[in-house]
């Protein structure tokens, strides 16, 4: 059986990744394409426990390097338990966040260094990079407004950061777009969900057929 396709979705807080993935799932269901939807940090029992530590609003004293290492640990467990087996079965893995989040949030916005964070994650993931990444591009101010209006959304530790932190995350993602243009595809997150998903389908479906 051919290896599946590892597809990740990135973007700042409030960019609508989860909503877009859910709509994409409906379309893949109609096409009878086998997929797995998962998320980071989390996705497996142990990885979810690490997620709870990372995002707990009480843990404001967490050191930035501790944060980066916890993300890498959660990512490793998630890969071993969830992603690798699904890819081996030939499934399309749709993952809400992955390595690029660590590069933008911890590497750039926390000023640890993108190369340093990249290095610890290559060790954690055994050099596993996504086959394709969609970056939902939304200015931070708009993303934070969406979060404020969404009363059902959990407010985690990262949501407590000031606007300048979220702006730095956005700048980090812009650097990643330039660094990995073949892998990362920009999607305008100010468009309607249908328009976003149609744009994603135009890029994703040919890759699935190639596989």
């Amino acid at each position: 059986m051919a290896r599946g396709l590892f597809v990740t979705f990135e973007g700042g807080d409030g960019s609508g990744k989860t909503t877009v993935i859910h709509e994409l799932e409906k379309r893949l269901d109609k096409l009878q394409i086998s997929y797995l939807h998962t998320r980071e940090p989390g996705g497996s029992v142990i990885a979810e426990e690490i997620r709870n530590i990372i995002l707990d609003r009480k843990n404001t004293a967490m050191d930035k390097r501790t944060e980066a290492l916890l993300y890498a640990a959660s990512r490793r467990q998630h890969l071993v338990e969830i992603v690798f087996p699904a890819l081996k079965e030939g499934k399309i893995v749709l993952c809400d966040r992955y390595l690029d989040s660590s590069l933008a949030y911890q590497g750039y916005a926390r000023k640890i260094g993108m190369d340093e964070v990249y290095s610890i994650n290559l060790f954690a993931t055994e050099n596993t990079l996504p086959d394709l990444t969609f970056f939902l591009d939304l200015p931070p101010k708009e993303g934070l407004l969406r979060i404020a209006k969404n009363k059902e959304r959990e407010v985690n530790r990262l949501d407590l950061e000031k606007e300048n932190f979220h702006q730095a995350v956005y700048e980090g993602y812009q650097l990643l777009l330039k660094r990995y243009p073949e892998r990362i595809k920009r999607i305008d997150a100010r468009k309607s969900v249908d328009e976003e998903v149609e744009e994603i389908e135009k890029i994703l479906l040919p890759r699935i057929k190639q596989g």
Side-chain angles (χ1 to χ4, degrees):
M1 181 181 291
R3 176 187 178 277
L5 195 69
F6 188 19
V7 183
T8 59
F9 295 79
E10 296 285 351
D13 294 280
S15 58
K17 299 182 310 304
T18 304
T19 302
V20 166
I21 295 172
H22 282 314
E23 183 58 37
L24 178 61
E25 286 181 281
K26 295 176 186 176
R27 304 193 184 197
L28 294 178
D29 284 336
K30 290 181 180 179
L31 295 170
Q32 297 183 321
I33 293 173
S34 180
Y35 65 86
L36 171 73
H37 175 193
T38 188
R39 72 170 183 176
E40 283 202 353
S44 71
V45 175
I46 295 174
E48 286 287 341
E49 291 182 2
I50 299 173
R51 174 192 176 91
N52 292 336
I53 295 171
I54 295 171
L55 299 182
D56 193 324
R57 294 171 65 180
K58 298 193 298 290
N59 294 334
T60 53
M62 185 179 295
D63 176 77
K64 59 187 179 181
R65 290 177 184 267
T66 300
E67 181 182 80
L69 289 165
L70 285 173
Y71 272 111
S74 176
R75 180 163 296 128
R76 171 64 187 177
Q77 192 66 29
H78 177 235
L79 279 174
V80 171
E81 286 194 67
I82 305 298
V83 177
F84 287 158
L87 291 175
K88 190 175 180 180
E89 293 172 7
K91 291 181 179 178
I92 311 302
V93 175
L94 307 176
C95 191
D96 188 339
R97 295 199 181 283
Y98 187 61
L99 169 58
D100 295 304
S101 284
S102 288
L103 298 179
Y105 281 79
Q106 285 74 48
Y108 191 82
R110 297 282 193 221
K111 298 182 172 60
I112 296 176
M114 282 189 167
D115 291 338
E116 287 77 4
V117 173
Y118 187 69
S119 178
I120 65 172
N121 275 276
L122 286 185
F123 168 76
T125 65
E126 296 180 83
N127 302 320
T128 303
L129 295 176
D131 298 301
L132 184 62
T133 299
F134 293 104
F135 170 62
L136 274 58
D137 192 340
L138 186 73
K141 282 187 178 181
E142 294 183 39
L144 294 174
L145 284 174
R146 287 184 182 181
I147 291 173
K149 291 178 181 178
N150 186 356
K151 303 303 180 183
E152 297 180 359
R153 185 186 188 277
E154 68 167 344
V155 178
N156 61 51
R157 188 172 60 86
L158 292 181
D159 292 328
L160 302 179
E161 294 287 351
K162 295 180 179 178
E163 187 178 319
N164 61 353
F165 173 79
H166 294 281
Q167 180 60 40
V169 169
Y170 184 74
E171 292 169 5
Y173 274 123
Q174 300 305 314
L175 291 175
L176 292 173
L177 279 168
K178 295 176 181 178
R179 185 179 290 191
Y180 306 110
E182 295 302 315
R183 175 172 64 82
I184 304 178
K185 307 302 178 183
R186 178 187 176 275
I187 304 295
D188 187 348
R190 287 171 294 189
K191 293 182 177 179
S192 70
V193 173
D194 283 341
E195 288 176 314
E196 290 177 68
V197 175
E198 285 172 8
E199 191 173 345
I200 290 170
E201 280 187 304
K202 288 178 182 177
I203 299 169
L204 177 59
L205 294 182
R207 291 290 298 272
I208 293 174
K209 289 177 182 177
Q210 286 175 10

